[in-house]
Amino acid sequence: MNVETTDRVLLIDDDEVFLHVLGRALAARGFEVTTAKDGTEALARCAEMQPRYIVLDLKLGSESGLSLIPRLNAARPGVRILLLTGYASIATAVEAIKRGAHDYLAKPVDADQVAQALLGHAGAQADGVDNLPDAPPPLKRLEWEHIQRVLAECEGNISEAARRLGLHRRTLQRKLAKRPVRETPNR
């Protein structure tokens, strides 16, 4: 991978751990990395650092990354935007591309996939739709991911998460005791 020293990337995600891990991995690959946790901070950082690339999460707490795409493009014309999501669908991929994103990847992703998508190398499709899984994830997998997200928003408070999910506390505890469904079968 050929990364220039002027390749600045702005990472926008509300998950601090993900920001830290991806930021370190991209920095190790030669990118100059800056992070933001919400739309307001992202627009300010974009104006300050003038990034060449932006990696944006679809869900930023109560905000949508989709609504942020046109504002980022207006703040920094010519920036290459990569949208990441744990909730991949063709509809959101198409909407992201319509709003100005250059690529779309479904989480989990590794830093090499992100770097390839940013640099536009083979394997990272320009329309982004080819990066979606062949089939939608199983419903149980989506349920597991949703429960995990709500639990994280409740800072691990099972009673509060159960209330928000409309579940009995014991039902939520049983669901949490199970392992998540694999996204793709072993071959």
Side-chain angles (χ1 to χ4, degrees), residues 169-185:
R169 187 175 187 278
R170 293 288 301 149
T171 303
L172 178 57
Q173 286 177 321
R174 280 193 300 274
K175 288 181 181 284
L176 289 171
K178 296 179 182 177
R179 293 188 173 182
V181 176
R182 290 183 188 265
E183 288 191 30
T184 55

Side-chain angles (χ1 to χ4, degrees), residues 3 6 18 33 56 62 68 75 82-83 90 108 130 145-146 156 174:
V3 178
T6 59
F18 180 77
V33 180
L56 172 64
S62 62
L68 195 54
L82 167 63
L83 188 74
I90 292 177
D130 291 337
E145 290 174 1
H146 180 65
R174 280 193 300 274

Side-chain angles (χ1 to χ4, degrees), residues 16-93:
E16 290 184 42
V17 174
F18 180 77
L19 275 180
H20 179 72
V21 170
L22 184 58
R24 283 185 52 186
L26 289 176
R29 286 161 178 77
F31 289 93
E32 182 182 326
V33 180
T34 301
T35 62
K37 295 177 191 105
D38 59 40
T40 306
E41 186 180 1
L43 290 167
R45 296 262 196 269
C46 188
E48 288 170 13
M49 73 174 283
Q50 296 292 301
R52 187 170 182 181
Y53 308 107
I54 295 176
V55 178
L56 172 64
D57 189 27
L58 177 66
K59 295 197 185 265
L60 298 171
S62 62
E63 287 182 271
S64 169
L66 288 174
S67 65
L68 195 54
I69 294 171
R71 294 186 296 171
L72 290 167
N73 274 323
R76 178 73 169 118
V79 70
R80 183 170 177 83
I81 298 177
L82 167 63
L83 188 74
L84 298 181
T85 182
Y87 307 94
S89 74
I90 292 177
T92 55

Side-chain angles (χ1 to χ4, degrees), residues 133-153:
D134 293 334
L139 188 56
K140 288 187 178 195
R141 177 68 187 191
L142 293 174
E143 178 189 41
W144 171 263
E145 290 174 1
H146 180 65
I147 287 171
Q148 294 300 316
R149 183 163 191 85
V150 170
L151 191 59
E153 289 171 2

Side-chain angles (χ1 to χ4, degrees), residues 105-127:
L105 292 175
K107 289 179 182 176
V109 295
D110 63 32
D112 287 331
Q113 289 173 304
V114 172
Q116 287 177 352
L118 293 177
L119 297 172
H121 289 150
Q125 299 298 319
D127 62 5

